[in-house]
Amino acid sequence: MRPFAKQFRLKAGLQTASTMSTPLPTGRHFLQIPGPANVPDRVLRAMAQPLIDHRGPEFSELTRSILERLQIVFSTSGPVIVYPASGHGAWEAALTNTLSPGDKVLAFENGQFATKWSQVAENLRLSVDLVSGDWRRGVDNAVLAEKLASDRNHEIKAVIAVHTETSTGVTNAIGDIRSTMDRTGHPALLMVDAVSSLATTEYRHDEWAVDVTVSASQKGLLLPPGLSFNAISEKALRASEQAKLTNSYWNWKPILSFNERGFFPYTPATSLLFGLDASLGMLLEEGLENVSARHARLAEATRRAVHAWGLEVQCSESQCHANSVTGVRMPLDHDADTLRKTVLDRFNMSLGKGLGKVEGRLFRIGHLGDFNELMLAATLSGVEMGFGLTGVPHQTGGVQAALEFLVASC
Ligand code: PLP
């Protein structure tokens, strides 16, 4: 620190000499992890409303209006269940409502969340065939076709896939997975995790004939964590009549029955539902196509910055780049967590951690939800300054490359 600044700070009694190297955080924290993402003020204000009777007419109207608009977001005419739970709960709900002990589940190890969902299935005593992957690519449809074609007795009861793998920034083409399943004529259910893709990326539950779509509140849906979802096809509903895995809280049947009247069989998360009411309003006012286009453009600007820095994006297939998150690979012998710590300490910004087997090897830039060009410019500036401070070898000009793209695509 320059002597003048040091003297001034000591005189003003702002900091002691020992804490001076880390500035106290000022301004708004930049929460650039890939969820929980920034919650808009309109949603925060909606959540601060006084509670209402969850068995009264006002609540019933609120629920019905939310459920109707959720169908638009999931692009389905079927029911969407809302759980007061994290995404893990909705994973478990999807499996326990449709499958029986010992059923075979085909899963693809694309990243941390695909792996964790398959572990949930194993914990439930399902028999999981987890196809290994390098965490840089989408589901290999040739392997999927081969696995399904060789399953002559139709022992595989469900294929589970993550739409956007948040740990890597790889987005799977669910329409292609569906086509592959259709070509083999295999009757397995298709279950998709759209936790970090919903309301950031085009999603078509009905068109892609997804049987259960799992999602959660804390990403594109502009809410804090705490709600999660199952969108359900007719085939999945029929499967739920035969399923033998036990559940109670997750059971679709009583929830669907209560939902018809605008209620829940338990005390619902009223404040989060107020927030969801507001966030659905915002998303539909912007228009879902515009929401996806905004995310795609900010994601492309982010990748331009990464390439200009001379670094690599974790997703190695251009058709699989995610709209909501970009994984940035660190140069060898440089630790992503040291960079993240410096960026947090110096610039009051949180970047996403590398998870599981890529811990320390990459960091993640979340560019989702209530997010715009200037927020992205600041985010990338923080990263570029962080590189400078931690001695990460890079070319300057990443921020400039992103800005040029943003101007050109205005
Ligand atoms: N699936 C994906 C793709 C995720 O990104 C996450 C969390 O980030 C989850 C599932 C798990 O959700 P939760 O942490 O809300 O249980």
Side-chain angles (χ1 to χ4, degrees):
M1 182 172 283
R2 281 165 296 142
F4 170 75
K6 184 173 171 180
Q7 230 178 7
F8 174 78
R9 290 183 146 226
L10 284 174
K11 228 174 165 176
L14 295 176
Q15 282 182 312
T16 63
S18 62
T19 60
M20 277 190 305
S21 57
T22 304
L24 291 173
T26 53
R28 204 159 176 166
H29 177 65
F30 268 73
L31 183 64
Q32 297 320 134
I33 59 174
N38 298 291
V39 177
D41 292 350
R42 184 168 150 190
V43 173
L44 291 173
R45 280 196 297 273
M47 288 192 305
Q49 289 173 79
L51 298 187
I52 57 174
D53 176 7
H54 61 286
R55 302 189 205 281
E58 196 186 342
F59 189 88
S60 165
E61 216 172 287
L62 174 76
T63 306
R64 286 163 195 264
S65 152
I66 284 175
L67 294 178
E68 257 174 50
R69 286 175 293 155
L70 278 174
Q71 288 181 312
I72 302 173
V73 175
F74 282 84
S75 198
T76 181
S77 58
V80 180
I81 294 227
V82 183
Y83 291 109
S86 85
H88 276 69
W91 272 345
E92 185 162 336
L95 299 169
T96 56
N97 274 287
T98 52
L99 299 173
S100 299
D103 275 358
K104 200 161 169 186
V105 171
L106 180 59
F108 292 84
E109 189 227 351
N110 276 150
Q112 178 78 348
F113 293 103
T115 309
K116 283 185 93 181
W117 195 9
S118 74
Q119 280 163 0
V120 170
E122 270 181 17
N123 293 344
L124 293 168
R125 287 194 260 146
L126 294 163
S127 160
V128 180
D129 180 2
L130 181 63
V131 178
S132 62
D134 67 357
W135 290 35
R136 299 200 69 183
R137 272 171 266 268
V139 167
D140 185 337
N141 279 286
V143 175
L144 172 63
E146 194 267 315
K147 291 266 179 196
L148 294 178
S150 60
D151 180 37
R152 297 223 163 72
N153 297 331
H154 295 166
E155 282 169 21
I156 298 171
K157 299 299 178 206
V159 173
I160 63 173
V162 175
H163 189 203
T164 291
E165 177 50 75
T166 325
S167 63
T168 60
V170 173
T171 295
N172 281 300
I174 302 302
D176 292 352
I177 293 178
R178 175 79 267 165
S179 307
T180 305
M181 291 177 72
D182 287 350
R183 268 198 303 279
T184 58
H186 198 289
L189 295 166
L190 173 59
M191 302 199 207
V192 174
D193 170 328
V195 169
S196 63
S197 61
L198 197 75
T200 73
T201 309
E202 183 184 55
Y203 192 78
R204 315 220 137 262
H205 177 90
D206 282 2
E207 191 180 314
W208 297 334
V210 178
D211 293 300
V212 188
T213 299
V214 171
S215 196
S217 54
Q218 69 269 28
K219 318 248 180 189
L221 285 178
L222 310 172
L223 287 167
L227 293 180
S228 57
F229 309 90
N230 276 180
I232 307 165
S233 74
E234 279 191 17
K235 183 170 160 186
L237 271 180
R238 281 197 302 278
S240 72
E241 300 294 330
Q242 314 298 326
K244 301 273 182 308
L245 280 176
T246 48
N247 65 18
S248 169
Y249 181 70
W250 306 117
N251 196 321
W252 290 340
K253 211 170 178 174
I255 301 174
L256 290 174
S257 158
F258 272 78
N259 279 178
E260 272 176 29
R261 287 164 280 133
F263 299 118
F264 292 86
Y266 42 73
T267 312
T270 311
S271 303
L272 283 168
L273 293 174
F274 283 150
L276 182 56
D277 181 41
S279 72
L280 289 170
M282 290 180 73
L283 290 169
L284 297 180
E285 276 162 31
E286 185 177 354
L288 291 174
E289 268 182 37
N290 296 333
V291 170
S292 295
R294 172 168 56 83
H295 281 85
R297 180 165 165 264
L298 297 173
E300 174 63 27
T302 306
R303 293 190 294 271
R304 300 255 175 145
V306 176
H307 293 140
W309 286 324
L311 299 179
E312 259 186 279
V313 167
Q314 173 69 8
C315 173
S316 62
E317 295 179 315
S318 58
Q319 74 280 12
C320 293
H321 284 146
N323 280 0
S324 45
V325 51
T326 299
V328 184
R329 287 166 70 82
M330 294 292 282
L332 275 183
D333 302 327
H334 289 270
D335 178 27
D337 291 337
T338 306
L339 170 78
R340 288 177 52 256
K341 182 176 182 327
T342 299
V343 169
L344 177 61
D345 289 349
R346 300 295 314 192
F347 308 122
N348 194 17
M349 176 164 76
S350 295
L351 294 166
K353 197 176 160 46
L355 299 174
K357 69 184 186 189
V358 291
E359 184 172 350
R361 289 286 301 116
L362 62 81
F363 66 93
R364 296 171 298 150
I365 301 174
H367 32 74
L368 72 165
D370 191 33
F371 196 58
N372 63 26
E373 288 105 329
L374 292 187
M375 292 162 89
L376 178 64
T379 302
L380 297 173
S381 300
V383 173
E384 195 163 317
M385 289 190 285
F387 288 154
L389 285 173
T390 51
V392 172
H394 69 288
Q395 290 150 29
T396 53
V399 175
Q400 189 57 34
L403 298 186
E404 280 166 17
F405 169 76
L406 289 173
V407 170
S409 59
C410 247

Coordinates of all heavy atoms in Angstrom, one line a residue, residues 332-403:
L332 N -1.9 -25.3 -16.1 CA -1.3 -26.3 -15.2 C -0.5 -25.6 -14.1 O 0.1 -24.6 -14.3 CB -0.4 -27.2 -16.0 CG -1.0 -28.4 -16.7 CD1 0.0 -29.3 -17.4 CD2 -1.9 -29.2 -15.8
D333 N -0.5 -26.2 -12.9 CA 0.2 -25.7 -11.8 C -0.4 -24.4 -11.2 O 0.3 -23.7 -10.4 CB 1.7 -25.6 -12.0 CG 2.3 -26.9 -12.5 OD1 1.9 -27.9 -12.0 OD2 3.3 -26.8 -13.3
H334 N -1.6 -24.0 -11.6 CA -2.2 -22.9 -11.0 C -3.5 -23.3 -10.4 O -4.3 -24.0 -11.1 CB -2.4 -21.7 -12.0 CG -1.1 -21.1 -12.4 ND1 -0.5 -20.0 -11.7 CD2 -0.2 -21.4 -13.3 CE1 0.6 -19.7 -12.2 NE2 0.9 -20.6 -13.2
D335 N -3.7 -22.9 -9.2 CA -4.9 -23.4 -8.4 C -6.1 -22.5 -8.5 O -6.0 -21.3 -8.2 CB -4.5 -23.6 -6.9 CG -5.6 -24.0 -6.1 OD1 -6.5 -24.7 -6.6 OD2 -5.6 -23.7 -4.9
A336 N -7.2 -23.0 -9.0 CA -8.4 -22.2 -9.2 C -8.9 -21.6 -7.9 O -9.4 -20.5 -7.8 CB -9.5 -23.0 -9.8
D337 N -8.7 -22.3 -6.8 CA -9.2 -21.8 -5.5 C -8.4 -20.6 -4.9 O -8.9 -19.8 -4.2 CB -9.3 -23.0 -4.5 CG -10.4 -24.0 -4.9 OD1 -11.3 -23.5 -5.7 OD2 -10.3 -25.1 -4.5
T338 N -7.1 -20.6 -5.3 CA -6.3 -19.4 -4.9 C -6.8 -18.2 -5.6 O -7.0 -17.1 -5.1 CB -4.8 -19.7 -5.3 OG1 -4.4 -20.9 -4.7 CG2 -3.9 -18.5 -4.8
L339 N -7.1 -18.4 -6.9 CA -7.7 -17.3 -7.7 C -9.0 -16.8 -7.1 O -9.3 -15.6 -6.9 CB -7.9 -17.7 -9.2 CG -8.7 -16.7 -10.0 CD1 -7.8 -15.5 -10.4 CD2 -9.3 -17.4 -11.2
R340 N -9.9 -17.8 -6.8 CA -11.2 -17.5 -6.3 C -11.1 -16.7 -5.0 O -11.8 -15.8 -4.7 CB -12.0 -18.8 -6.1 CG -12.5 -19.4 -7.4 CD -13.2 -20.7 -7.2 NE -14.3 -20.6 -6.2 CZ -14.2 -21.0 -5.0 NH1 -13.2 -21.7 -4.5 NH2 -15.2 -20.8 -4.2
K341 N -10.1 -17.1 -4.1 CA -10.0 -16.5 -2.8 C -9.5 -15.0 -3.0 O -10.1 -14.1 -2.4 CB -9.0 -17.3 -2.0 CG -8.8 -16.7 -0.6 CD -7.9 -17.5 0.3 CE -7.7 -16.9 1.7 NZ -7.8 -15.5 1.9
T342 N -8.6 -14.8 -3.9 CA -8.1 -13.5 -4.2 C -9.2 -12.6 -4.7 O -9.4 -11.4 -4.3 CB -6.9 -13.5 -5.2 OG1 -5.9 -14.3 -4.6 CG2 -6.4 -12.1 -5.5
V343 N -10.0 -13.1 -5.6 CA -11.1 -12.3 -6.2 C -12.2 -12.0 -5.2 O -12.7 -10.9 -5.1 CB -11.7 -13.1 -7.4 CG1 -13.0 -12.5 -7.9 CG2 -10.7 -13.2 -8.6
L344 N -12.4 -12.9 -4.3 CA -13.3 -12.7 -3.2 C -12.8 -11.6 -2.2 O -13.5 -10.6 -1.9 CB -13.7 -14.0 -2.4 CG -14.6 -13.8 -1.2 CD1 -16.0 -13.3 -1.7 CD2 -14.8 -15.2 -0.5
D345 N -11.6 -11.8 -1.8 CA -11.0 -10.9 -0.8 C -10.8 -9.5 -1.4 O -11.1 -8.5 -0.7 CB -9.6 -11.4 -0.4 CG -9.7 -12.6 0.5 OD1 -10.8 -12.9 0.9 OD2 -8.6 -13.3 0.7
R346 N -10.4 -9.4 -2.6 CA -10.0 -8.1 -3.2 C -11.2 -7.4 -3.8 O -11.3 -6.2 -3.8 CB -8.9 -8.2 -4.3 CG -7.6 -8.7 -3.8 CD -6.9 -7.9 -2.8 NE -6.9 -6.5 -3.2 CZ -6.1 -5.5 -2.6 NH1 -5.3 -5.9 -1.6 NH2 -6.2 -4.3 -3.0
F347 N -12.1 -8.2 -4.5 CA -13.1 -7.5 -5.3 C -14.5 -7.9 -4.9 O -15.5 -7.6 -5.6 CB -12.9 -7.9 -6.8 CG -11.5 -7.6 -7.3 CD1 -10.7 -8.6 -7.8 CD2 -11.0 -6.3 -7.1 CE1 -9.4 -8.3 -8.2 CE2 -9.7 -6.0 -7.5 CZ -8.9 -7.0 -8.0
N348 N -14.7 -8.6 -3.8 CA -16.0 -8.9 -3.2 C -16.8 -9.7 -4.2 O -18.0 -9.4 -4.4 CB -16.7 -7.6 -2.8 CG -17.9 -7.8 -1.9 OD1 -18.1 -8.9 -1.4 ND2 -18.7 -6.8 -1.8
M349 N -16.2 -10.6 -4.9 CA -16.9 -11.4 -5.9 C -16.7 -12.9 -5.7 O -15.6 -13.4 -5.5 CB -16.5 -11.0 -7.3 CG -17.2 -11.9 -8.4 SD -17.1 -11.3 -10.0 CE -15.4 -11.7 -10.4
S350 N -17.8 -13.7 -5.7 CA -17.7 -15.1 -5.5 C -17.8 -15.8 -6.9 O -18.8 -15.5 -7.7 CB -18.9 -15.6 -4.7 OG -18.8 -15.2 -3.4
L351 N -16.8 -16.6 -7.2 CA -16.9 -17.4 -8.4 C -17.1 -18.8 -8.0 O -16.8 -19.2 -6.9 CB -15.5 -17.3 -9.2 CG -15.2 -15.9 -9.7 CD1 -13.7 -15.8 -10.1 CD2 -16.1 -15.6 -10.9
G352 N -17.6 -19.6 -9.0 CA -18.0 -21.0 -8.6 C -16.7 -21.9 -8.5 O -15.7 -21.7 -9.3
K353 N -16.7 -22.8 -7.6 CA -15.6 -23.7 -7.3 C -15.6 -24.9 -8.3 O -16.7 -25.3 -8.7 CB -15.9 -24.2 -5.9 CG -14.8 -24.8 -5.2 CD -15.3 -25.2 -3.7 CE -14.4 -26.3 -3.2 NZ -13.0 -26.0 -3.3
G354 N -14.5 -25.4 -8.5 CA -14.4 -26.7 -9.3 C -14.9 -27.8 -8.3 O -14.4 -27.8 -7.2
L355 N -15.8 -28.6 -8.8 CA -16.4 -29.7 -7.9 C -15.8 -31.0 -8.3 O -15.5 -31.3 -9.4 CB -17.9 -29.7 -8.0 CG -18.6 -28.4 -7.7 CD1 -20.1 -28.5 -8.0 CD2 -18.4 -28.1 -6.2
G356 N -15.7 -31.9 -7.2 CA -15.4 -33.3 -7.5 C -14.0 -33.4 -8.1 O -13.1 -32.8 -7.7
K357 N -14.0 -34.2 -9.2 CA -12.7 -34.5 -9.8 C -12.0 -33.3 -10.5 O -10.9 -33.4 -10.9 CB -12.7 -35.8 -10.6 CG -13.5 -35.7 -11.9 CD -13.4 -37.2 -12.4 CE -14.0 -37.3 -13.8 NZ -14.2 -38.6 -14.3
V358 N -12.7 -32.2 -10.6 CA -12.0 -31.0 -11.2 C -11.8 -29.9 -10.2 O -11.5 -28.8 -10.5 CB -12.8 -30.4 -12.4 CG1 -12.8 -31.4 -13.6 CG2 -14.3 -30.1 -12.0
E359 N -11.9 -30.3 -8.9 CA -11.6 -29.3 -7.8 C -10.2 -28.7 -8.0 O -9.2 -29.4 -8.2 CB -11.7 -30.0 -6.5 CG -11.5 -29.0 -5.3 CD -11.8 -29.6 -4.0 OE1 -12.3 -30.8 -3.9 OE2 -11.5 -28.9 -3.0
G360 N -10.1 -27.4 -8.0 CA -8.8 -26.7 -8.1 C -8.4 -26.6 -9.5 O -7.6 -25.7 -9.9
R361 N -8.9 -27.4 -10.4 CA -8.5 -27.4 -11.8 C -9.3 -26.3 -12.7 O -8.8 -25.9 -13.7 CB -8.7 -28.8 -12.5 CG -7.7 -29.8 -12.0 CD -6.4 -29.6 -12.6 NE -6.4 -29.7 -14.0 CZ -6.0 -28.6 -14.8 NH1 -5.7 -27.5 -14.3 NH2 -6.0 -28.7 -16.1
L362 N -10.5 -26.0 -12.2 CA -11.2 -25.0 -12.9 C -12.0 -24.2 -11.9 O -12.2 -24.5 -10.8 CB -12.2 -25.7 -13.9 CG -13.3 -26.6 -13.5 CD1 -14.5 -25.9 -13.0 CD2 -13.7 -27.5 -14.8
F363 N -12.4 -23.0 -12.4 CA -13.4 -22.2 -11.7 C -14.6 -22.0 -12.6 O -14.5 -22.2 -13.9 CB -12.8 -20.9 -11.2 CG -12.4 -19.9 -12.2 CD1 -13.3 -18.9 -12.7 CD2 -11.2 -20.0 -12.8 CE1 -12.9 -18.0 -13.7 CE2 -10.8 -19.1 -13.8 CZ -11.7 -18.1 -14.3
R364 N -15.7 -21.6 -12.1 CA -16.9 -21.4 -12.9 C -17.5 -20.0 -12.8 O -17.5 -19.5 -11.7 CB -18.0 -22.4 -12.5 CG -17.5 -23.9 -12.7 CD -18.5 -24.9 -12.1 NE -18.6 -24.7 -10.6 CZ -19.7 -25.0 -9.9 NH1 -20.7 -25.4 -10.5 NH2 -19.6 -24.8 -8.6
I365 N -17.8 -19.5 -13.9 CA -18.4 -18.2 -14.0 C -19.9 -18.4 -14.2 O -20.4 -18.9 -15.2 CB -17.9 -17.3 -15.1 CG1 -16.4 -17.1 -14.9 CG2 -18.6 -15.9 -15.1 CD1 -15.7 -16.4 -16.1
G366 N -20.7 -18.0 -13.2 CA -22.2 -18.1 -13.3 C -22.7 -16.8 -14.0 O -22.4 -15.7 -13.6
H367 N -23.4 -17.0 -15.2 CA -23.9 -15.9 -15.9 C -25.4 -16.1 -16.1 O -25.8 -16.4 -17.3 CB -23.2 -15.6 -17.2 CG -22.6 -16.8 -17.9 ND1 -23.4 -17.7 -18.6 CD2 -21.3 -17.2 -17.9 CE1 -22.6 -18.6 -19.1 NE2 -21.4 -18.4 -18.7
L368 N -26.2 -16.2 -15.0 CA -27.6 -16.6 -15.2 C -28.5 -15.8 -14.3 O -28.0 -15.1 -13.3 CB -27.7 -18.1 -14.8 CG -27.6 -18.5 -13.3 CD1 -28.1 -19.9 -13.2 CD2 -26.1 -18.5 -12.9
G369 N -29.7 -15.9 -14.6 CA -30.7 -15.2 -13.8 C -30.9 -13.7 -14.0 O -30.9 -13.3 -15.2
D370 N -30.9 -13.0 -13.0 CA -31.1 -11.5 -13.0 C -29.7 -10.9 -13.4 O -29.0 -10.5 -12.5 CB -31.6 -11.0 -11.7 CG -32.0 -9.6 -11.7 OD1 -32.5 -9.2 -12.8 OD2 -31.9 -8.9 -10.7
F371 N -29.3 -10.9 -14.7 CA -28.0 -10.6 -15.1 C -27.9 -9.9 -16.4 O -28.8 -10.1 -17.2 CB -27.2 -12.0 -15.2 CG -25.8 -11.9 -15.2 CD1 -25.1 -11.3 -14.2 CD2 -25.0 -12.4 -16.3 CE1 -23.7 -11.3 -14.2 CE2 -23.7 -12.3 -16.3 CZ -23.0 -11.8 -15.3
N372 N -27.0 -9.0 -16.5 CA -27.0 -8.2 -17.8 C -25.5 -7.9 -18.2 O -24.6 -8.3 -17.6 CB -27.8 -6.9 -17.6 CG -27.2 -6.0 -16.5 OD1 -26.0 -6.0 -16.2 ND2 -28.0 -5.1 -15.9
E373 N -25.4 -7.1 -19.2 CA -24.1 -6.8 -19.9 C -23.1 -6.2 -18.9 O -22.0 -6.6 -18.8 CB -24.2 -5.9 -21.1 CG -24.8 -6.5 -22.3 CD -26.3 -6.0 -22.5 OE1 -26.9 -5.7 -21.5 OE2 -26.7 -5.9 -23.6
L374 N -23.6 -5.2 -18.1 CA -22.7 -4.5 -17.3 C -22.2 -5.4 -16.1 O -21.1 -5.3 -15.6 CB -23.3 -3.2 -16.7 CG -23.5 -2.1 -17.8 CD1 -24.0 -0.8 -17.2 CD2 -22.2 -1.8 -18.6
M375 N -23.1 -6.2 -15.6 CA -22.8 -7.1 -14.6 C -21.7 -8.1 -15.1 O -20.8 -8.5 -14.4 CB -24.0 -7.9 -14.0 CG -24.9 -7.0 -13.3 SD -26.6 -7.7 -13.2 CE -26.4 -8.7 -11.6
L376 N -21.9 -8.5 -16.4 CA -20.9 -9.5 -17.0 C -19.5 -8.8 -17.1 O -18.5 -9.3 -16.8 CB -21.4 -10.0 -18.3 CG -20.4 -10.9 -19.0 CD1 -20.2 -12.2 -18.2 CD2 -20.9 -11.3 -20.4
A377 N -19.6 -7.5 -17.6 CA -18.3 -6.7 -17.8 C -17.6 -6.6 -16.4 O -16.4 -6.9 -16.4 CB -18.6 -5.4 -18.3
A378 N -18.3 -6.4 -15.4 CA -17.7 -6.3 -14.0 C -17.1 -7.6 -13.6 O -16.0 -7.7 -13.1 CB -18.7 -5.8 -13.0
T379 N -17.9 -8.7 -13.9 CA -17.5 -10.0 -13.5 C -16.2 -10.4 -14.2 O -15.2 -10.9 -13.5 CB -18.6 -11.0 -13.9 OG1 -19.8 -10.7 -13.2 CG2 -18.2 -12.5 -13.5
L380 N -16.1 -10.2 -15.5 CA -14.9 -10.5 -16.2 C -13.8 -9.7 -15.8 O -12.6 -10.1 -15.8 CB -15.2 -10.4 -17.7 CG -16.3 -11.4 -18.3 CD1 -16.6 -11.1 -19.7 CD2 -15.9 -12.8 -18.1
S381 N -14.0 -8.4 -15.5 CA -12.9 -7.5 -15.0 C -12.4 -8.1 -13.7 O -11.1 -8.1 -13.6 CB -13.5 -6.1 -14.8 OG -14.0 -5.6 -16.0
G382 N -13.2 -8.5 -12.8 CA -12.7 -9.1 -11.6 C -11.9 -10.3 -11.8 O -10.8 -10.5 -11.2
V383 N -12.3 -11.1 -12.8 CA -11.5 -12.3 -13.1 C -10.1 -11.9 -13.7 O -9.1 -12.4 -13.2 CB -12.2 -13.2 -14.1 CG1 -11.3 -14.4 -14.5 CG2 -13.5 -13.8 -13.5
E384 N -10.2 -11.0 -14.6 CA -8.9 -10.6 -15.3 C -8.0 -9.9 -14.2 O -6.8 -10.2 -14.2 CB -9.2 -9.6 -16.4 CG -8.0 -9.5 -17.4 CD -8.4 -8.9 -18.7 OE1 -9.4 -9.3 -19.3 OE2 -7.6 -8.0 -19.2
M385 N -8.5 -9.1 -13.4 CA -7.6 -8.5 -12.3 C -7.1 -9.6 -11.4 O -5.9 -9.6 -10.9 CB -8.4 -7.5 -11.5 CG -8.7 -6.2 -12.3 SD -9.3 -4.9 -11.3 CE -11.0 -5.4 -11.0
G386 N -8.0 -10.6 -11.1 CA -7.5 -11.7 -10.3 C -6.4 -12.5 -10.9 O -5.4 -12.9 -10.2
F387 N -6.4 -12.7 -12.2 CA -5.3 -13.3 -12.9 C -4.0 -12.5 -12.6 O -3.0 -13.1 -12.3 CB -5.5 -13.4 -14.4 CG -6.6 -14.4 -14.8 CD1 -7.3 -14.2 -16.0 CD2 -6.9 -15.5 -14.1 CE1 -8.3 -15.1 -16.4 CE2 -7.8 -16.4 -14.5 CZ -8.5 -16.2 -15.7
G388 N -4.1 -11.2 -12.8 CA -3.0 -10.4 -12.6 C -2.4 -10.5 -11.2 O -1.2 -10.6 -11.0
L389 N -3.3 -10.5 -10.2 CA -2.8 -10.5 -8.8 C -2.2 -11.8 -8.4 O -1.4 -11.9 -7.5 CB -4.0 -10.1 -7.9 CG -4.4 -8.7 -7.9 CD1 -5.7 -8.5 -7.0 CD2 -3.3 -7.8 -7.3
T390 N -2.7 -12.9 -9.0 CA -2.3 -14.2 -8.6 C -1.2 -14.8 -9.5 O -0.8 -16.0 -9.4 CB -3.4 -15.2 -8.4 OG1 -4.2 -15.2 -9.7 CG2 -4.3 -14.9 -7.3
G391 N -0.8 -14.0 -10.5 CA 0.2 -14.5 -11.4 C -0.2 -15.6 -12.3 O 0.6 -16.5 -12.7
V392 N -1.5 -15.7 -12.7 CA -1.9 -16.7 -13.6 C -1.5 -16.2 -15.0 O -1.9 -15.2 -15.5 CB -3.5 -16.9 -13.5 CG1 -4.0 -17.8 -14.6 CG2 -3.9 -17.4 -12.2
P393 N -0.7 -17.1 -15.7 CA -0.3 -16.6 -17.1 C -1.6 -16.5 -18.0 O -2.4 -17.4 -18.1 CB 0.6 -17.8 -17.6 CG 0.5 -18.9 -16.5 CD -0.2 -18.4 -15.3
H394 N -1.7 -15.4 -18.6 CA -2.8 -15.1 -19.5 C -2.5 -13.9 -20.4 O -1.6 -13.2 -20.1 CB -4.1 -14.8 -18.7 CG -4.0 -13.5 -18.0 ND1 -3.2 -13.2 -16.9 CD2 -4.7 -12.3 -18.3 CE1 -3.4 -12.0 -16.5 NE2 -4.2 -11.4 -17.3
Q395 N -3.3 -13.8 -21.5 CA -3.1 -12.6 -22.3 C -4.2 -11.6 -21.8 O -5.3 -12.0 -21.5 CB -3.4 -13.0 -23.8 CG -2.3 -13.8 -24.4 CD -2.8 -14.7 -25.5 OE1 -3.8 -14.4 -26.1 NE2 -2.2 -15.9 -25.6
T396 N -3.8 -10.4 -21.8 CA -4.8 -9.4 -21.4 C -5.8 -9.2 -22.6 O -5.6 -9.7 -23.7 CB -4.2 -8.0 -21.1 OG1 -3.4 -7.6 -22.2 CG2 -3.4 -8.1 -19.8
G397 N -6.9 -8.5 -22.4 CA -7.8 -8.3 -23.5 C -9.1 -9.2 -23.5 O -9.9 -9.1 -24.4
G398 N -9.2 -10.0 -22.4 CA -10.4 -10.8 -22.4 C -11.7 -10.0 -22.2 O -12.7 -10.2 -22.9
V399 N -11.6 -9.0 -21.3 CA -12.8 -8.1 -21.1 C -13.1 -7.4 -22.4 O -14.2 -7.3 -22.8 CB -12.5 -7.2 -19.9 CG1 -13.6 -6.2 -19.8 CG2 -12.2 -7.9 -18.6
Q400 N -12.0 -6.9 -23.0 CA -12.2 -6.1 -24.3 C -12.9 -7.0 -25.3 O -13.9 -6.6 -26.0 CB -10.9 -5.7 -24.8 CG -10.9 -4.7 -25.9 CD -11.8 -3.4 -25.6 OE1 -11.7 -3.0 -24.4 NE2 -12.5 -2.9 -26.5
A401 N -12.5 -8.3 -25.4 CA -13.1 -9.2 -26.4 C -14.6 -9.4 -26.1 O -15.4 -9.4 -27.1 CB -12.4 -10.5 -26.4
A402 N -14.9 -9.5 -24.9 CA -16.3 -9.7 -24.5 C -17.1 -8.4 -24.8 O -18.2 -8.5 -25.4 CB -16.4 -10.0 -23.0
L403 N -16.5 -7.2 -24.5 CA -17.2 -6.0 -24.8 C -17.5 -5.8 -26.3 O -18.5 -5.4 -26.7 CB -16.5 -4.8 -24.2 CG -16.2 -4.7 -22.7 CD1 -15.6 -3.4 -22.3 CD2 -17.5 -4.9 -21.9

